[in-house]
Amino acid sequence: MRKPSSDSQKGYRPPINSEALSAPHSADRLLDKVPDDVLENVIYFYQPVAEYRNTFGILRAAAPVDAMRVCRRWNQVIITNPRFWTDVFVQDDVDVDVIELQLQRSGQCLPLRLWVTSGALTKTTALDAILPYANRMSGLFLEPLPLVSAKDLQTINRSATFASQVKLTDVEKWIGMPLPNLRDLHLGGLTVDGQPPTIEISLPKLEKLSFGMTVPRFFFPKSWLRYLGFINSLVTMAKLSEYLMHCQETLETLNLDTVTVTDLDAPGEGLRNLVMPHISEVVIRIPGGDGLAELLLTEVHYPELRSLTFSASPGRRFGAWHRPPDGGIHLPKLDVLDFDGSIMPIGAFRDILEGTRSMGKLIMPRFGSEEQLSAAIDALVGWARREGNDAESLEELVTADLSARDLARIVEALPAVRNLDVFIASKTKVR
């Protein structure tokens, strides 16, 4: 074979010996040369995980039991590394010996996350095994809900899905542990028997709190909450108001996903001129539309709001979309307005749009008729031409069912749009 020239020496690679690579156990010999810390990372990042709704994007990592069976070396790497054992899953059929072994393998320093099913909440033996490690607990997730689509969630039979009824005293045992470093708390598909009184808890570092079915009344001596979430929940206006006011000076994200308010008698009550000065993200998904959507946008003020996801059909309970007398949705710093593909009353779309001054991204809703769609385009074009609005800021627009004429109007009114995503446009007649 000709020796490569000096100019190509740096790029020269010897030919691959295919016979050597296909030799028996060659892959095993290559893996044997991988350092333990590299092997540890490979196994760690390919651990099986479980995903749940409204657990702040946190995945539950399962202990890599299958990987432990590969060989003695892999087994030893996994057993001796604490980070493989920091997600503790307490199931209905509690095996205390397994829990104790996992906690022992988790070491003495790394933060722990505890995932507890409803059937295990009454098992004091599991609680006794966990108590010595409570000061290391950073996340506590009681009966986390399985991840399903928003469409499927609307059709779920609550009585069948959330039949995990527990006593408030059982919940209180778990969240009443000494948890000085707990930052994430999620109460999933739990219903509490009777009318729960106030639970007084001391969680000095709690930053994220979310609820599933029933929302109890908590009392925090001091709040550091940055995230507050409700999913498929039943909540009273009194409780919602109390939570918002209690974390008024710290809250940054508010997430209400499929929420039903049980004590709302008339629009405009319960949240009078509440200012949330630090909230930058709000998610409102209320398919039923019971007046709560109007309240959250007209009676609560968000001077620093940057992102609003609004998927609701408001007004079914109280009639048309309610706009307060002072004319008031005010979202002066909004950057992302996402209607999440929901079917929106034209009045709601117009009022929310008029409450903004500039946007970087707009995801349009759908409408019940071509007339409403045309009125929505009129509202968007009018917004772009209104004095004081920054139409040049809108660079990304996602919409559906546009005719060629409406598309041309948008392009003319919003010349700064660089990313225009029009889907299902082929079904719309060009007029």
Side-chain angles (χ1 to χ4, degrees):
M1 182 177 68
R2 183 173 63 87
K3 184 177 180 180
S5 63
S6 58
D7 293 336
S8 60
Q9 282 283 2
K10 292 183 180 180
Y12 173 71
R13 295 290 183 272
I16 296 175
N17 188 337
S18 59
E19 293 183 0
L21 286 179
S22 62
H25 309 299
S26 60
D28 292 342
R29 289 199 296 270
L30 288 173
L31 284 174
D32 288 341
K33 296 178 182 180
V34 175
D36 282 356
D37 58 339
V38 176
L39 178 61
E40 167 198 324
N41 283 325
V42 171
I43 299 172
Y44 180 77
F45 287 109
Y46 282 90
Q47 272 184 282
V49 295
E51 189 172 1
Y52 301 95
R53 287 183 63 84
N54 209 26
T55 54
F56 326 114
I58 297 174
L59 307 179
R60 178 178 65 83
V65 177
D66 291 339
M68 293 173 64
R69 301 190 181 105
V70 172
C71 64
R72 292 179 181 177
R73 183 188 174 209
W74 282 40
N75 183 75
Q76 187 64 20
V77 166
I78 294 170
I79 287 177
T80 57
N81 195 297
R83 68 173 176 164
F84 287 112
W85 307 98
T86 55
D87 276 316
V88 182
F89 188 36
V90 185
Q91 304 182 64
D92 292 354
D93 51 343
V94 177
D95 190 331
V96 178
D97 293 336
V98 172
I99 294 174
E100 289 180 340
L101 179 61
Q102 181 168 354
L103 290 168
Q104 291 169 9
R105 289 177 176 175
S106 70
Q108 299 179 354
C109 302
L110 293 181
L112 296 171
R113 295 187 302 216
L114 186 63
W115 310 76
V116 187
T117 61
S118 59
L121 289 176
T122 59
K123 306 295 194 320
T124 56
T125 52
L127 189 59
D128 292 340
I130 292 163
L131 272 173
Y133 301 85
N135 65 322
R136 290 171 49 200
M137 207 71 64
S138 68
L140 178 58
F141 308 92
L142 304 185
E143 188 67 7
L145 300 173
L147 185 69
V148 296
S149 68
K151 181 179 180 181
D152 292 338
L153 189 64
Q154 297 175 30
T155 61
I156 286 176
N157 184 331
R158 289 188 178 189
S159 61
T161 306
F162 302 104
S164 304
Q165 190 168 21
V166 298
K167 294 182 178 180
L168 194 66
T169 52
D170 293 327
V171 176
E172 195 169 7
K173 289 175 185 176
W174 290 84
I175 62 178
M177 289 188 291
L179 299 167
N181 294 302
L182 190 73
R183 298 182 184 277
D184 305 318
L185 174 61
H186 172 66
L187 300 177
L190 299 172
T191 59
V192 182
D193 56 347
Q195 293 295 324
T198 299
I199 303 179
E200 185 169 348
I201 55 178
S202 178
L203 301 172
K205 294 187 179 180
L206 188 66
E207 295 182 356
K208 298 180 181 179
L209 173 64
S210 66
F211 296 100
M213 179 63 173
T214 302
V215 178
R217 179 179 283 111
F218 285 162
F219 172 73
F220 302 91
K222 190 172 183 179
S223 172
W224 297 100
L225 282 182
R226 296 187 297 108
Y227 176 102
L228 180 61
F230 303 85
I231 175 171
N232 210 43
S233 301
L234 296 176
V235 62
T236 65
M237 183 56 65
K239 288 178 185 176
L240 180 58
S241 301
E242 287 177 7
Y243 279 111
L244 290 178
M245 287 188 289
H246 192 65
C247 52
Q248 186 174 6
E249 295 300 324
T250 58
L251 199 63
E252 297 174 1
T253 301
L254 177 62
N255 184 358
L256 295 105
D257 193 342
T258 322
V259 176
T260 300
V261 179
T262 58
D263 65 342
L264 190 62
D265 295 323
E269 66 176 20
L271 296 171
R272 289 292 185 184
N273 297 319
L274 181 62
V275 178
M276 305 299 293
H278 304 294
I279 285 186
S280 60
E281 180 180 5
V282 172
V283 177
I284 302 173
R285 293 189 179 97
I286 308 176
D290 56 7
L292 179 60
E294 293 98 319
L295 294 178
L296 289 168
L297 289 183
T298 58
E299 298 296 326
V300 184
H301 304 284
Y302 312 95
E304 296 296 327
L305 188 65
R306 298 295 198 278
S307 174
L308 172 62
T309 300
F310 189 89
S311 173
S313 302
R316 293 182 184 176
R317 182 171 176 183
F318 301 116
W321 167 267
H322 290 273
R323 188 176 185 183
D326 59 358
I329 293 177
H330 302 287
L331 307 171
K333 295 187 178 181
L334 194 68
D335 183 55
V336 177
L337 178 55
D338 181 2
F339 287 102
D340 204 28
S342 61
I343 298 178
M344 184 69 56
I346 182 60
F349 173 74
R350 186 185 294 115
D351 284 352
I352 295 173
L353 190 65
E354 288 180 0
T356 66
R357 293 293 172 264
S358 64
M359 289 179 290
K361 180 177 181 179
L362 171 62
I363 300 179
M364 294 275 288
R366 294 176 294 132
F367 297 95
S369 66
E370 290 190 5
E371 291 74 16
Q372 287 195 355
L373 175 61
S374 180
I377 301 302
D378 290 341
L380 181 58
V381 171
W383 175 87
R385 294 173 176 171
R386 188 171 297 113
E387 185 178 354
N389 289 348
D390 184 9
E392 296 293 326
S393 64
L394 186 57
E395 297 184 352
E396 185 173 356
L397 177 64
V398 180
T399 185
D401 300 319
L402 281 187
S403 67
R405 186 183 69 178
D406 288 337
L407 181 60
R409 293 176 64 200
I410 288 178
V411 171
E412 180 183 0
L414 299 166
V417 172
R418 299 180 180 180
N419 186 355
L420 178 59
D421 185 358
V422 182
F423 58 96
I424 325 179
S426 59
K427 296 184 180 180
T428 304
K429 296 179 180 179
V430 178
R431 294 173 299 196

